[in-house]
Amino acid sequence: MTDPTIAEPTPAPSTPAARDNWGRWGDDDERGALNLIGPAQVLAGATACRTGRTYALGLKVQRKGVPLIDFRPTPERYALFRDTDAGTFAKLGSDGTVGFNEDVLTVPTHNGTHMDALAHCVADGTLYNGFPAAAVEANRGASRCGIEKVGVVVGRAVLLDVAGHLGVDWLEPGQKVGADLLESCRSAAGVTLGAGDVLLVRTGWLDLFASLGRGEKPPFAQPGLDLSTVDYIADHDLAAVGADNAAVEVIPFDAGGYLPVHVALLHRLGVVLFEHLVLSPMAADGVVEGLFVAAPLLVTGGSGSPVNPVVVV
Amino acid sequence: MTDPTIAEPTPAPSTPAARDNWGRWGDDDERGALNLIGPAQVLAGATACRTGRTYALGLKVQRKGVPLIDFRPTPERYALFRDTDAGTFAKLGSDGTVGFNEDVLTVPTHNGTHMDALAHCVADGTLYNGFPAAAVEANRGASRCGIEKVGVVVGRAVLLDVAGHLGVDWLEPGQKVGADLLESCRSAAGVTLGAGDVLLVRTGWLDLFASLGRGEKPPFAQPGLDLSTVDYIADHDLAAVGADNAAVEVIPFDAGGYLPVHVALLHRLGVVLFEHLVLSPMAADGVVEGLFVAAPLLVTGGSGSPVNPVVVV
Amino acid sequence: MTDPTIAEPTPAPSTPAARDNWGRWGDDDERGALNLIGPAQVLAGATACRTGRTYALGLKVQRKGVPLIDFRPTPERYALFRDTDAGTFAKLGSDGTVGFNEDVLTVPTHNGTHMDALAHCVADGTLYNGFPAAAVEANRGASRCGIEKVGVVVGRAVLLDVAGHLGVDWLEPGQKVGADLLESCRSAAGVTLGAGDVLLVRTGWLDLFASLGRGEKPPFAQPGLDLSTVDYIADHDLAAVGADNAAVEVIPFDAGGYLPVHVALLHRLGVVLFEHLVLSPMAADGVVEGLFVAAPLLVTGGSGSPVNPVVVV
Amino acid sequence: MTDPTIAEPTPAPSTPAARDNWGRWGDDDERGALNLIGPAQVLAGATACRTGRTYALGLKVQRKGVPLIDFRPTPERYALFRDTDAGTFAKLGSDGTVGFNEDVLTVPTHNGTHMDALAHCVADGTLYNGFPAAAVEANRGASRCGIEKVGVVVGRAVLLDVAGHLGVDWLEPGQKVGADLLESCRSAAGVTLGAGDVLLVRTGWLDLFASLGRGEKPPFAQPGLDLSTVDYIADHDLAAVGADNAAVEVIPFDAGGYLPVHVALLHRLGVVLFEHLVLSPMAADGVVEGLFVAAPLLVTGGSGSPVNPVVVV
């Protein structure tokens, strides 16, 4: 199916004070700031491919050794078929020399490296763009703003290596990344940040995690974006934001409420989020921009998807 | 993590009659023909991006309305959290105005649009490259040739629209696509097919499926590649092959054995397969080449992964 | 843990017109009519054991050949370990001669033979006994009336073989079983029905199902209890009701509403239900009473449980 | 379906030195020592019901607070339907006042309180009774000795409270329970142990577990049966053995091999095992015998089942 994003991007609202994108792409819009990615943005990403190097931003999907949130189930892989299932394969036509391995995966949509759909976040009884919260049910899932409405995210990625910019291996747990720090990092990197871009922020969190001893629990607090970044993201009309931490935003949350940066980005601006991205290899190579490709599983009604995003440079 | 494919491709074996790639990239190689994709191939793909249009090749992941094989479980999405979980979110810090939806997915690795890892196929007691079949166990999965060894697949896609070439909506169930037909289709399309390319073959199968009435079962037989295509694929040193049908290869299978084209491609040549790809929108737009990006979930020990590949043109 | 039912049963309300048991066992009660089963009722069941024969009332848990409701997932069994996992067992200490098979089950709580918890049914914003519907959340499940509050159900079963009484193999799809028919069947069987008993009703539905040809779908309509049975059940102060059909009650539903007999029994009277019980072997042996033992999995917050009830005679 | 155990028990082999029951109930037997339970044994159990008290021996099925083995997945309950699914229930016929909660369970067969099927254990290439190990495959499960062959286990339970007998809250981790200790405990309790009985052994393990502080891990070692109990079990021709620990047998294992008591009991004698039984309430009440009822889910091809056994006294 063709990506529905090929229409020309719509101008940002003239009153940025509103700080939301509701209605900007129509009352029926379920894709939010992804509408900012048109062919020009895709080609801007493709133009950034100069060396042919690729980066997989997804963590391994496994039971241990990766950051997993305890209140979500652990990803599991079970054997559906094993090549030793001789009786089964004989019935299917094998002469006994050939067999196949197959698995079944049980994966939470929001553990490991994943993408938040706009249906993820509810505030004041609504989803992004004012759809009623009741548009998401347990059984049928999200009839509005589900992950299947995303299609694919292809555009220009800009990596801001905040930890590297500050000369540390990782930011401290709980350390806020504000708009000024993002801008100073961007400026030092000499990279532009334009409408429809995908912003990737490296806090070093996964390196902190990797430094833990066996059985050692990571701290509850995490570095991440504070609320001052919301205007920064809106001003630049970014399409999506990703980071190497659990929630993009700082933990404990910035002043006020529960996951306030999520609410501001997902619910108000329609900016989708990518979490637990593996960004250190790009940072180590000095990459600051590239072609970004993230293709969620098109789970009908899904509130998110595990994903293995790619950057090509 | 950086894609390990950036080394220069190794030349094809001097004795093509061997028709296998075992040892070609070392005795420890677990990536097979994906080694044929180096930076040059990635850039060849990027160069094919001229319009900024994108195509999502993945089917919707849902319980009905998509082709699902009965002996595999149906993909399921369950509610892990709903925004109405007020008590839960209050404990997590919400003041009652904010909630989140999250799901858990149960997805077979080989139903819907998916990618076969080299660990999928066992023949004569071995995996690709001679690894013992016992390297795959039920509990720990594939210690060799698992899907997590793939990283990402980024390269140049070539679409051969066989159905379109023959002027039909879809090939007949059971109709064989041989090397001659592929070559005639390629030639008519005026597209080159080079080392490290990803070959996409459109048989029209998904259109046949879409034409079925409600409750009508698709035929068992499917059009697909016959054994004559193996040499064609090896001669062109292709990195991967995808199609819009269930098994890439023709059903009933071409002369001899069980899934013989799988064995020849996965087990002998180390060529990975993509199945149930949505190719008709590309064909309708007359696309014959583009940048191909497929990023499987990096399931440790996995024999495959659901995937939503992308083509950018 | 000791069954909390050993207190003496409380008398039925003096105004049976109320037709509910809210408050009867206290404002905090979450077990409903199971409170009617005290030691005397258990011993009444044990006294009915005269031959030492046992009956398993549970259907096989499998993907095919049993009645499964399409809007629920199919039960699945996956391999967690296979004895061939030599590497795994070697790490655990095996010398290679010993291995173990283990599975993982994915089972809906309300498919196949199962027990409804009182948390299953919500009407007018409440659960049984007036607990707010919000006591059940997606993530934490039922904080009120969950299946784990049941413990075990042990008492006297009375089987009314309605199909046998009418001299048919099975009642017609949609055929109503009313209070008069139950009473005429009971009377003909010469069996008493007392406070705290578990009523089992055989409609023959599973025999109709078993008579279907391969691939033949069962009719949507099913025979079952109509609303006139609610007073009958309340008048006899029964603790639980089970049947061999999908919903105990007749389908299409008796006049008015959605699953009205469920609402009357679960929500108003607190009478738990057992569905898809295998009752024909008991009927064939002429069994009319016995010791009933059903022990749901004590799933914290669960709305029901698959179960394999037992009758001993 | 009728329990197939109603035939009269077969005499024990005249050469007890053989210490196995292969062939004792025919070459096709898949139920092992459960064949020792005939109507007389069931009635012996029923006769032990004198007070009408019941005990649920199953642990809660939940993510925390119960002993769970780390290499198995955690049991999970997901929301399949919530009463708030107004759109779904409207389509099904509700007028908006009625809704239902339903869940889906993912439960390992061998975590929490469970029953081992004879298909669980493989030694020297065979299952119990000499069936080839290959009778168990990943996909189709156990075609021999699966849990569905059990039906139900109804008989006389004898509780030996070893911890109570020794005057301790729990046995030490790694402490062996041998035949002499069992016999001394039995003798002191003044209870007989006969053919077809179900032996329940309390080590106090679950009380040790309950004494742990939050986040404190239980020791690896556990008290349990040593190899000397195998003859004791065989000499008494017991049908099944259960305990309150993880593996019935002592950990670290008694001299030699991997899970040697499992091999001796499951593989050689065909004696099924129940693990993680809640036995302390019975012990606290001084119960030494009762009617035992365990009804596994009849999972076709299953290697075991979660279960909530019942004792009635």
Side-chain angles (χ1 to χ4, degrees):
Chain A
M1 61 207 71
T2 314
D3 181 341
T5 64
I6 61 172
E8 281 305 296
T10 314
S14 50
T15 54
R19 299 289 80 169
D20 78 48
N21 285 319
W22 293 21
R24 181 173 173 191
W25 297 285
D27 289 347
D28 280 337
D29 176 56
E30 306 180 43
R31 301 187 75 250
L34 293 177
N35 286 296
L36 293 163
I37 307 183
Q41 284 69 29
V42 173
L43 291 177
T47 303
C49 302
R50 296 184 196 97
T51 69
R53 284 206 315 273
T54 62
Y55 298 89
L57 309 193
L59 287 164
K60 296 279 176 66
V61 178
Q62 55 190 27
R63 305 185 80 220
K64 298 196 174 183
V66 290
L68 294 169
I69 310 297
D70 191 43
F71 59 70
R72 298 183 179 111
T74 301
E76 305 281 355
R77 179 198 45 68
Y78 305 121
L80 182 62
F81 290 94
R82 280 297 169 257
D83 71 279
T84 42
D85 290 3
T88 296
F89 291 114
K91 279 176 71 174
L92 292 169
S94 171
D95 65 356
T97 63
V98 174
F100 287 84
N101 296 298
E102 296 193 12
D103 300 301
V104 171
L105 309 177
T106 296
V107 192
T109 48
H110 292 77
N111 228 352
T113 305
H114 67 275
M115 176 179 179
D116 291 342
L118 294 181
H120 179 45
C121 180
V122 171
D124 302 320
T126 55
L127 300 173
Y128 161 77
N129 213 11
F131 296 116
V136 186
E137 297 189 349
N139 190 257
R140 70 178 184 190
S143 55
R144 289 290 187 176
C145 300
I147 193 76
E148 82 279 16
K149 306 289 171 59
V150 167
V152 297
V153 181
V154 181
R156 176 176 174 261
V158 172
L159 173 63
L160 296 186
D161 176 12
V162 175
H165 178 62
L166 295 179
V168 296
D169 286 337
W170 49 75
L171 302 194
E172 290 304 309
Q175 188 171 345
K176 294 180 184 180
V177 175
D180 290 349
L181 181 51
L182 287 183
E183 176 57 17
S184 122
C185 182
R186 185 206 62 74
S187 172
V191 65
T192 60
L193 198 53
D197 281 349
V198 176
L199 172 63
L200 306 178
V201 179
R202 180 177 173 270
T203 68
W205 171 256
L206 289 183
D207 300 270
L208 181 159
F209 181 88
S211 75
L212 297 174
R214 182 191 172 93
E216 193 179 352
K217 284 204 169 185
F220 170 75
Q222 295 195 13
L225 301 194
D226 69 17
L227 281 166
S228 72
T229 62
V230 173
D231 275 354
Y232 187 81
I233 290 161
D235 289 343
H236 287 86
D237 244 349
L238 302 179
V241 178
D244 55 355
N245 56 11
V248 172
E249 69 186 285
V250 67
I251 298 175
F253 306 130
D254 197 4
Y258 178 56
L259 284 162
V261 178
H262 271 64
V263 174
L265 295 181
L266 286 167
H267 183 257
R268 305 302 293 161
L269 293 175
V271 170
V272 293
L273 304 178
F274 294 90
E275 285 149 350
H276 276 145
L277 295 177
V278 177
L279 299 175
S280 293
M282 287 172 65
D285 290 352
V287 169
V288 294
E289 66 169 343
L291 175 69
F292 181 85
V293 180
L297 301 180
L298 300 176
V299 181
T300 300
S303 55
S305 174
V307 70
N308 177 13
V310 180
V311 168
V312 189
V313 299
Chain B
M1 59 208 73
T2 315
D3 182 341
T5 64
I6 62 171
E8 282 304 295
T10 314
S14 51
T15 54
R19 300 289 81 168
D20 78 50
N21 284 320
W22 293 22
R24 181 173 173 190
W25 298 286
D27 289 347
D28 279 337
D29 175 57
E30 304 179 43
R31 300 184 78 252
L34 293 177
N35 286 296
L36 292 164
I37 307 184
Q41 283 69 28
V42 172
L43 292 176
T47 303
C49 302
R50 296 183 197 99
T51 69
R53 284 206 314 274
T54 62
Y55 297 89
L57 309 193
L59 287 164
K60 295 278 176 63
V61 178
Q62 56 189 26
R63 304 185 80 218
K64 299 197 174 182
V66 290
L68 294 169
I69 309 297
D70 190 44
F71 59 72
R72 297 182 180 114
T74 301
E76 304 281 356
R77 178 197 45 69
Y78 304 122
L80 181 62
F81 290 95
R82 278 298 168 259
D83 72 279
T84 43
D85 290 3
T88 297
F89 291 115
K91 280 176 71 173
L92 292 169
S94 172
D95 65 356
T97 63
V98 174
F100 286 85
N101 296 298
E102 296 194 12
D103 300 301
V104 170
L105 309 177
T106 297
V107 192
T109 50
H110 291 77
N111 227 352
T113 305
H114 66 275
M115 176 179 179
D116 291 343
L118 294 181
H120 179 45
C121 181
V122 171
D124 302 320
T126 55
L127 300 173
Y128 161 77
N129 213 12
F131 296 116
V136 187
E137 297 189 349
N139 190 257
R140 70 177 184 190
S143 54
R144 290 289 188 176
C145 299
I147 193 77
E148 82 277 18
K149 306 291 171 61
V150 167
V152 297
V153 181
V154 180
R156 175 176 175 261
V158 173
L159 172 64
L160 297 185
D161 175 12
V162 175
H165 178 63
L166 295 178
V168 295
D169 287 334
W170 49 76
L171 301 194
E172 290 304 309
Q175 187 172 346
K176 295 180 184 180
V177 175
D180 290 350
L181 180 52
L182 287 182
E183 177 58 17
S184 120
C185 182
R186 185 206 62 74
S187 172
V191 65
T192 60
L193 199 53
D197 281 349
V198 176
L199 172 63
L200 306 178
V201 179
R202 180 176 173 270
T203 68
W205 171 256
L206 290 183
D207 299 271
L208 181 158
F209 182 87
S211 76
L212 297 173
R214 184 190 170 92
E216 195 180 351
K217 285 205 169 186
F220 171 75
Q222 295 195 12
L225 301 194
D226 70 18
L227 281 165
S228 71
T229 62
V230 174
D231 275 354
Y232 187 81
I233 290 162
D235 289 343
H236 286 86
D237 244 348
L238 302 179
V241 177
D244 56 354
N245 57 11
V248 172
E249 69 187 284
V250 67
I251 299 174
F253 307 130
D254 198 4
Y258 178 56
L259 285 162
V261 177
H262 271 65
V263 174
L265 295 182
L266 285 167
H267 184 257
R268 305 301 294 161
L269 293 175
V271 170
V272 293
L273 304 178
F274 294 90
E275 284 148 352
H276 277 144
L277 296 177
V278 176
L279 299 175
S280 293
M282 287 172 65
D285 290 351
V287 169
V288 294
E289 66 170 343
L291 175 69
F292 181 85
V293 179
L297 301 180
L298 299 178
V299 182
T300 301
S303 55
S305 175
V307 70
N308 177 14
V310 180
V311 168
V312 188
V313 298
Chain C
M1 59 208 72
T2 315
D3 181 341
T5 64
I6 62 172
E8 282 303 295
T10 313
S14 51
T15 54
R19 300 289 79 168
D20 78 49
N21 284 320
W22 293 21
R24 181 173 173 191
W25 299 284
D27 288 348
D28 279 338
D29 175 56
E30 305 179 43
R31 301 185 76 251
L34 293 177
N35 287 296
L36 293 163
I37 308 185
Q41 285 69 28
V42 172
L43 292 177
T47 305
C49 302
R50 298 185 194 96
T51 67
R53 284 205 316 272
T54 62
Y55 297 89
L57 309 194
L59 286 164
K60 296 278 177 64
V61 178
Q62 56 190 27
R63 305 185 79 219
K64 298 196 174 183
V66 290
L68 293 170
I69 309 297
D70 191 42
F71 59 71
R72 298 182 180 112
T74 301
E76 304 282 355
R77 179 197 46 69
Y78 305 122
L80 181 63
F81 291 95
R82 279 298 169 258
D83 71 279
T84 42
D85 289 3
T88 296
F89 291 114
K91 280 176 71 174
L92 292 170
S94 171
D95 65 356
T97 63
V98 173
F100 286 85
N101 296 297
E102 296 193 13
D103 299 301
V104 170
L105 309 177
T106 296
V107 192
T109 49
H110 292 78
N111 227 352
T113 305
H114 66 275
M115 176 178 179
D116 291 342
L118 294 181
H120 180 44
C121 180
V122 172
D124 302 321
T126 55
L127 300 173
Y128 160 78
N129 212 12
F131 296 116
V136 186
E137 296 189 349
N139 190 257
R140 71 178 183 189
S143 54
R144 289 290 186 176
C145 300
I147 193 76
E148 82 278 17
K149 306 290 171 60
V150 167
V152 297
V153 181
V154 180
R156 175 175 174 262
V158 172
L159 173 63
L160 297 185
D161 175 12
V162 175
H165 177 62
L166 295 178
V168 297
D169 288 335
W170 49 76
L171 301 195
E172 289 304 309
Q175 187 172 346
K176 295 180 184 180
V177 175
D180 291 349
L181 180 52
L182 287 182
E183 177 58 16
S184 121
C185 182
R186 186 205 63 73
S187 172
V191 65
T192 60
L193 199 53
D197 282 349
V198 176
L199 172 63
L200 306 178
V201 179
R202 180 177 172 270
T203 69
W205 171 257
L206 290 182
D207 300 87
L208 181 159
F209 181 87
S211 76
L212 297 173
R214 183 192 171 91
E216 194 179 350
K217 286 206 169 184
F220 170 75
Q222 296 195 11
L225 302 194
D226 69 18
L227 281 166
S228 71
T229 63
V230 174
D231 275 354
Y232 188 81
I233 291 162
D235 289 342
H236 287 86
D237 244 347
L238 302 179
V241 178
D244 55 354
N245 56 11
V248 173
E249 69 188 282
V250 67
I251 298 175
F253 306 130
D254 198 4
Y258 178 57
L259 285 163
V261 177
H262 271 65
V263 174
L265 295 181
L266 286 167
H267 183 258
R268 305 301 293 162
L269 294 174
V271 170
V272 293
L273 303 179
F274 294 91
E275 284 149 351
H276 276 145
L277 296 177
V278 177
L279 299 175
S280 293
M282 287 172 66
D285 291 351
V287 169
V288 294
E289 64 169 344
L291 175 68
F292 180 85
V293 180
L297 301 180
L298 299 177
V299 181
T300 300
S303 55
S305 174
V307 69
N308 177 14
V310 180
V311 168
V312 189
V313 299
Chain D
M1 60 208 70
T2 314
D3 181 342
T5 65
I6 62 171
E8 283 303 296
T10 314
S14 50
T15 54
R19 300 288 81 166
D20 79 49
N21 284 320
W22 292 21
R24 182 174 173 189
W25 299 285
D27 289 347
D28 279 337
D29 175 56
E30 304 179 45
R31 300 185 77 251
L34 293 177
N35 287 295
L36 293 163
I37 307 183
Q41 283 69 30
V42 172
L43 291 177
T47 303
C49 301
R50 297 183 196 98
T51 68
R53 285 206 314 274
T54 62
Y55 297 89
L57 309 192
L59 287 163
K60 296 278 176 63
V61 178
Q62 55 190 28
R63 305 185 80 218
K64 298 198 174 181
V66 289
L68 293 170
I69 309 298
D70 190 44
F71 59 71
R72 298 181 179 112
T74 301
E76 305 281 357
R77 179 198 44 70
Y78 305 121
L80 181 62
F81 291 94
R82 279 298 169 260
D83 71 279
T84 43
D85 290 3
T88 298
F89 291 115
K91 281 175 71 174
L92 292 170
S94 171
D95 64 356
T97 63
V98 174
F100 286 85
N101 296 297
E102 297 194 11
D103 300 301
V104 170
L105 309 176
T106 296
V107 192
T109 49
H110 291 77
N111 227 351
T113 305
H114 66 273
M115 176 180 179
D116 292 342
L118 295 180
H120 180 44
C121 180
V122 171
D124 302 320
T126 55
L127 300 173
Y128 160 77
N129 212 12
F131 296 116
V136 186
E137 297 189 349
N139 190 258
R140 71 179 184 187
S143 54
R144 290 290 188 174
C145 299
I147 193 76
E148 82 277 18
K149 306 291 171 60
V150 166
V152 296
V153 181
V154 180
R156 175 176 174 261
V158 173
L159 172 64
L160 297 185
D161 176 12
V162 175
H165 178 62
L166 295 179
V168 297
D169 287 336
W170 49 77
L171 302 193
E172 291 304 309
Q175 188 172 345
K176 294 180 184 182
V177 175
D180 291 349
L181 180 52
L182 287 182
E183 177 57 16
S184 122
C185 183
R186 184 206 62 74
S187 172
V191 66
T192 60
L193 199 53
D197 280 349
V198 176
L199 172 63
L200 306 179
V201 179
R202 180 176 172 271
T203 68
W205 172 256
L206 289 183
D207 299 271
L208 182 158
F209 181 88
S211 75
L212 298 173
R214 184 191 168 92
E216 195 180 351
K217 285 205 169 185
F220 172 74
Q222 295 196 12
L225 301 193
D226 70 17
L227 281 166
S228 72
T229 62
V230 173
D231 275 355
Y232 187 81
I233 291 162
D235 289 343
H236 286 86
D237 244 348
L238 302 179
V241 178
D244 55 354
N245 57 10
V248 173
E249 69 187 284
V250 67
I251 297 174
F253 306 130
D254 198 5
Y258 178 56
L259 284 163
V261 177
H262 270 66
V263 174
L265 294 182
L266 286 167
H267 183 257
R268 304 301 294 162
L269 293 175
V271 171
V272 293
L273 304 178
F274 294 90
E275 284 147 352
H276 276 144
L277 295 178
V278 177
L279 299 176
S280 294
M282 288 172 66
D285 290 350
V287 169
V288 294
E289 66 170 343
L291 175 69
F292 181 85
V293 179
L297 301 181
L298 300 177
V299 181
T300 300
S303 56
S305 174
V307 70
N308 177 14
V310 180
V311 168
V312 189
V313 300

